[in-house]
Amino acid sequence: MYRNKYIKSRLARLQRGYGTITDIFINAVYQNFMSVLTEDAAASNLLQPILPPDTRKTLHWGQLHGASAALIIAATANRYRGLVLAVAPDSQTALRLEIELRVFGGPELDILAFPDWETLPYDVFSPHQDIVSQRLAALYRLPQRRRGVLVVPVATLLQRLAPRGYLDRYALLLKVGERLDLEDFRRRLEAAGYTCVSQVVEHGEFAVRGAILDLFPMGAERPYRIELFDDEVESIRDFDPDTQLSVAKTEQIELLPAREFALDQDTIARFRQAWRRQFEGDPQRSSIYREVSAGNAPGGIEYYLPLFFEQTATLFDYLPEATLAVRLEGVDAAMAGFQEQLLDRYEQRRYDAERPLLPPPLLFVEAAQVEKALARYLRVELREAGDGGVNFPTAPPPLLPFQARAERPAAALEDFLAGFPGRVLFAAESAARREVLLETLRGHGIKPTVCESWTEFLAREDLRLALTVAPLEQGLLLTEPPLAIVAEPQLYGERARQTRRRVANRDPDAIIRNLTDLNPGAPVVHEEHGIGRYAGLERLEVAGIDGEFVVVEYADNDRLYVPVASLPVSYTHLRAHETD
């Protein structure tokens, strides 16, 4: 009887103040629970709606189709007074969920992503610096996070990590007006894993030119230019790595280490001792041992991370106590598949005497350990099927493809809109795609109103049809209340998606060879600024750096100067047949 009263009081408190479509969507589930409580006295032992009452059982949310899983996670995160840990089966699903959460949660929802290394177990190359930067930023900020969502693929959840004290020890705070010994600071940067280069382009790089220090800290969106007057920090500005031009001043910057382990003398000594304890034979036979002893980080060194520390941690050591763990469908199968792959690769590669491997338990936790760690938190599991648990009023979003050669090219969409009683929001990947989609829809007599966001669409209940920028891969179809999101892939297929986690590396020599084949006036494309005309190469001095720049001309004689050194990350050649 007590549980009945507790749940009813919680329901009444949560139902007060509802007004948006999101609230009504979740309220439908509350009503489902209320009807069960009214009809059956045995319902006193059921879990409370939305959140489980305690850690003894896992709450199941079912009948979640399309992007509805992200919608309910975002709505729950806005109400839950703690951190929501969203575990995805793989990196692709995690990235899609992160994008959907940003659409439904808006700028008010704090979202952290802790990505996978995007390497296979025991690979001989290291993850990209941008990925390491995002991981370090998430770990550094996580202990201070009390609310929001942390999105994690299951392989990352299994990884053993640097202990919490590592980032606290090696993080630096640099302020304007501070004294700075440039040579000492340079040694500290190198010990923290930063690389000295002639021109800063990527995370984890720094360059020294007289009294100017350029630095791209891990976790930062832009690099910084630090100007010294004698040994005092006179100014700090962020700058564009493509143009090398300063953008804005700042008073201080936070510097995280460039790797998930240090390479100072104490850490190298610890690594060498741990290596000799772990592996038999002459350590000098191994290139890994020799490289680390020399202060270098060879490819794949991340799979020797436990040797750098007295003790490793897991992601659970970074999570606050008031964490709600949400597992997307497919996590259990993905966890089992990853551990099978891990053991297979270990068995295949463990006999290389020059590159001995650490056993899997030193690098990853097992599934049983994950379950034990999750048992400390409130838990929810998501299911697409509606069998048991809490079933939400959603349906699979329909495919509504344009058929250019058909008598009615938009027949599927027109029929859907004619029969659907609720409001519809079209979601375009970008502002440019929005204009293309708007023109296409108007050509078929469909005239949506352009709005800024999902939040504005919910607030403007007068909008029957609307269009916004929301890079969703899948749509949403609510049946109670009737509301739909139609994403571009529903209309054009999967080819509409262009989302990139990071820009792929390209061969600089191949790009230079392409430039020699170009004639002035040839079409080229910059990945951020679009299609222009190649206008040749020019040598310029920018911020004291003398370098060669590719000149791209746009409309109204606008010119873009792209440093040749940054071509691998910002510029591609658009061949003639691609412009037809």
Side-chain angles (χ1 to χ4, degrees), residues 94-113:
L95 179 59
R96 185 182 68 205
L97 176 63
E98 180 189 349
I99 293 171
E100 292 172 349
L101 287 172
R102 296 191 187 281
V103 171
F104 294 127
E108 295 81 16
L109 182 60
D110 188 7
I111 301 170
L112 278 179

Side-chain angles (χ1 to χ4, degrees), residues 198-516:
S198 59
Q199 182 173 317
V200 170
V201 175
E202 292 188 339
H203 287 99
E205 295 180 341
F206 75 95
V208 179
R209 303 187 314 279
I212 297 176
L213 170 67
D214 286 352
L215 174 64
F216 205 151
M218 305 303 278
E221 294 184 3
R222 290 180 183 270
Y224 291 93
R225 179 159 293 139
I226 302 160
E227 296 186 12
L228 302 177
F229 181 75
D230 289 335
D231 60 349
E232 181 179 317
V233 177
E234 185 177 38
S235 69
I236 303 175
R237 302 171 183 264
D238 60 0
F239 67 90
D240 187 326
D242 286 345
T243 64
Q244 296 290 306
L245 296 177
S246 298
V247 177
K249 281 187 175 182
T250 185
E251 291 301 310
Q252 64 181 37
I253 56 174
E254 264 183 340
L255 305 177
L256 299 180
R259 299 188 182 91
E260 296 179 40
F261 54 89
L263 277 177
D264 55 22
Q265 293 303 313
D266 291 342
T267 306
I268 291 173
R270 185 182 303 116
F271 176 91
R272 289 160 58 92
Q273 293 172 3
W275 182 285
R276 291 193 291 268
R277 286 195 303 265
Q278 181 67 38
F279 303 117
E280 296 180 354
D282 182 7
Q284 293 296 334
R285 292 183 58 190
S286 171
S287 60
I288 298 291
Y289 183 87
R290 296 195 304 270
E291 287 292 318
V292 173
S293 297
N296 302 321
I301 187 60
E302 289 72 21
Y303 290 100
Y304 297 89
L305 182 139
L307 302 182
F308 290 95
F309 302 101
E310 295 291 345
Q311 188 175 2
T312 56
T314 67
L315 186 60
F316 300 107
D317 296 311
Y318 287 82
L319 298 179
E321 185 176 345
T323 295
L324 170 65
V326 179
R327 286 200 276 196
L328 275 65
E329 188 165 16
V331 164
D332 291 342
M335 192 180 304
F338 176 80
Q339 293 198 318
E340 182 179 352
Q341 179 194 52
L342 175 63
L343 292 175
D344 287 345
R345 289 181 65 85
Y346 176 69
E347 287 299 324
Q348 292 170 7
R349 296 165 178 255
R350 62 181 296 193
Y351 302 105
D352 186 352
E354 294 188 4
R355 196 181 183 94
L357 303 182
L358 292 177
L362 292 182
L363 295 169
F364 298 91
V365 297
E366 298 178 352
Q369 295 171 290
V370 171
E371 294 299 333
K372 183 179 179 180
L374 288 173
R376 308 198 310 262
Y377 308 115
L378 301 179
R379 301 179 305 282
V380 175
E381 287 188 9
L382 308 189
R383 297 173 178 173
E384 189 170 300
D387 50 343
V390 185
N391 295 330
F392 288 79
T394 79
L399 293 177
L400 307 168
F402 291 125
Q403 304 287 350
R405 299 182 180 179
E407 183 177 346
R408 293 175 57 209
L413 178 59
E414 291 169 353
D415 294 344
F416 170 77
L417 295 177
F420 187 68
R423 302 165 62 201
V424 178
L425 175 67
F426 293 95
E429 182 187 353
S430 63
R433 295 291 305 173
R434 180 190 62 194
E435 298 307 311
V436 171
L437 181 56
L438 182 62
E439 184 177 349
T440 301
L441 292 173
R442 286 175 175 172
H444 296 293
I446 302 169
K447 299 179 180 179
T449 301
V450 175
C451 62
E452 288 298 319
S453 65
W454 159 259
T455 305
E456 182 186 345
F457 174 69
L458 292 183
R460 297 181 58 182
E461 297 184 2
D462 59 307
L463 296 181
R464 166 72 171 85
L465 298 177
L467 171 63
T468 191
V469 175
L472 300 175
E473 289 188 26
Q474 50 188 355
L476 176 70
L477 183 59
L478 305 186
T479 57
E480 186 183 341
L483 183 145
I485 295 178
V486 177
E488 278 196 87
Q490 292 174 256
L491 303 173
Y492 298 108
E494 294 299 324
R495 290 178 300 176
R497 296 294 303 141
Q498 297 177 2
T499 302
R500 305 176 183 89
R501 173 181 292 279
R502 57 184 171 84
V503 179
N505 284 328
R506 303 184 180 91
D507 179 8
D509 293 336
I511 295 174
I512 299 300
R513 286 194 297 270
N514 283 337
L515 290 177
T516 61

